[in-house]
Amino acid sequence: MMSSSLLLAACSKPRENVWQGYVEGEYVTISASQSGRLDRLSVARGQQVSVGAALFALESGDETAARQQALRQLQSAEAQLTDIQSGKRPQEISVTQAQLLQAQAMAKKAQVQLARDESQFQVGGIAKQQLDDSRATAETTAAQVRQWQSQLAVDRLPNRDAQIRAQQEQVAASQAALAQAEWRLDQKTVSATRTGLVFDTLYREGEWVAAGNPVVRMLPPENVKIRFFVPEPVLGKLKLNQTVTLYCDGCPADLPASISYIATDAEFTPSIIYSNESRAKLVYMIEAHPSMTDAPKLHPGQPLEVSLP
């Protein structure tokens, strides 16, 4: 019967090509481009979030009002452009036509009165002053007829191209102002652009957050990496994209990882001339990334062992 010490030796992993390492995370800090009071914090430390999940929101009263103002200005500019492009409305043309008819009637009456006064003046029935008054009235009413005829012709014409182009530019400027106001409003609500772990929250609701200050620290799974160190004689066995195996306490199974970086400089240089014995004291940092599925199982700072499969 095999002794317990022999059983332990048989079950233990070989120590050759096994190196000590640890988990490291490259954190992503999430902030807002605008300042404001933190009105809503939608996540907590340790929470896993997906793309599009709401993270936090800042007060947005001023930005909401600015957007409404920009929207009203755009609607006004578009209404003015439509009015300019359509010219005078039929009701307005009808008013001008009525004014013209009234002027024509008055001019006709004035001409009849002038003809009557001229006949009376020939026989000495009226004074010269009365005839002059009749002539002036006839000329005035005739001028009014010509005025309203010209106004009616103008009302029936479309507006000038230059005026339409100027109003189109005003509409474009109002659209740009609205887009800017909407962008500023959108910046007050921040959502996750990547899947990951909420590692920490740096503000509490009600606190003032300056523009650009991080509010949430996240750790996406692709930013989890393994760092370990190998002696100089082993360096030649490793290459980029090579698979290594991770062993850690509490891990359900051995996890694979892919080498993503091999340092070119030694982390430690002995203070003696190189020899076959001293070369083993040189260590080089290696980085490897686990799969996206296995990354959430690892935690920054966690010690582990790395070996070749």
Side-chain angles (χ1 to χ4, degrees):
M1 182 176 180
M2 187 180 296
S3 65
S4 59
S5 60
L6 292 177
L7 285 173
L8 289 174
C11 295
S12 62
K13 294 186 290 288
R15 305 306 299 169
E16 185 179 359
N17 290 335
V18 176
W19 310 286
Q20 299 298 318
Y22 60 92
V23 182
E24 186 170 281
E26 294 178 339
Y27 300 100
V28 176
T29 55
I30 312 298
S31 60
S33 62
Q34 309 294 311
S35 300
R37 183 185 66 248
L38 182 60
D39 275 356
R40 184 175 68 255
L41 183 62
S42 304
V43 294
R45 288 187 298 178
Q47 180 179 343
Q48 289 283 348
V49 296
S50 57
V51 176
L55 298 179
F56 62 91
L58 304 180
E59 59 167 337
S60 58
D62 288 345
E63 288 74 17
T64 301
R67 181 191 178 281
Q68 288 298 108
Q69 180 182 4
L71 178 60
R72 296 293 182 266
Q73 290 174 343
L74 173 60
Q75 292 172 341
S76 176
E78 290 175 337
Q80 290 177 10
L81 177 60
T82 301
D83 184 65
I84 291 173
Q85 290 174 329
S86 63
K88 291 287 185 178
R89 291 171 294 182
Q91 295 83 352
E92 294 174 317
I93 295 177
S94 297
V95 172
T96 303
Q97 288 174 331
Q99 296 285 355
L100 175 59
L101 291 175
Q102 183 180 3
Q104 289 172 337
M106 294 178 63
K108 183 178 182 181
K109 180 179 179 181
Q111 287 294 331
V112 172
Q113 183 63 42
L114 175 60
R116 184 182 299 117
D117 289 347
E118 286 177 340
S119 299
Q120 289 292 325
F121 180 75
Q122 293 294 330
V123 298
I126 60 173
K128 180 68 166 57
Q129 180 64 42
Q130 184 175 348
L131 177 60
D132 291 341
D133 291 342
S134 295
R135 285 175 177 171
T137 301
E139 291 175 357
T140 300
T141 55
Q144 290 176 342
V145 170
R146 292 192 297 272
Q147 176 187 351
W148 287 113
Q149 286 174 337
S150 299
Q151 183 63 49
L152 182 60
V154 170
D155 288 351
R156 288 171 173 168
L157 291 175
N159 287 277
R160 293 177 297 176
D161 291 341
Q163 187 178 5
I164 293 177
R165 287 196 298 270
Q167 190 59 36
Q168 287 173 337
E169 293 297 327
Q170 185 63 40
V171 170
S174 298
Q175 290 173 336
L178 176 60
Q180 186 178 39
E182 288 179 336
W183 180 84
R184 289 178 177 172
L185 179 59
D186 291 342
Q187 294 301 300
K188 288 303 186 78
T189 302
V190 179
S191 300
T193 58
R194 303 164 75 178
T195 298
L197 170 73
V198 177
F199 186 80
D200 199 5
T201 57
L202 307 178
Y203 284 87
R204 293 184 293 270
E205 291 181 353
E207 292 183 325
W208 178 264
V209 181
N213 278 14
V215 177
V216 175
R217 293 179 67 196
M218 286 186 59
L219 181 59
E222 63 270 24
N223 287 16
V224 175
K225 61 184 179 181
I226 312 303
R227 277 188 173 179
F228 61 99
F229 298 86
V230 300
E232 188 271 342
V234 180
L235 191 63
K237 300 180 181 180
L238 305 180
K239 59 183 179 180
L240 293 178
N241 300 321
Q242 183 177 355
T243 300
V244 295
T245 303
L246 311 178
Y247 308 96
C248 58
D249 296 335
C251 293
D254 299 337
L255 306 178
S258 177
I259 295 177
S260 57
Y261 174 75
I262 300 176
T264 57
D265 297 325
E267 294 290 321
F268 169 73
T269 302
S271 58
I272 57 175
I273 298 176
Y274 289 149
S275 63
N276 289 336
E277 292 76 14
S278 65
R279 287 170 60 189
K281 298 180 181 179
L282 294 174
V283 292
Y284 289 79
M285 184 185 71
I286 309 294
E287 290 183 353
H289 281 78
S291 67
M292 297 281 286
T293 304
D294 292 332
K297 303 174 185 177
L298 303 173
H299 306 282
Q302 180 181 5
L304 42 73
E305 290 184 343
V306 183
S307 70
L308 293 176

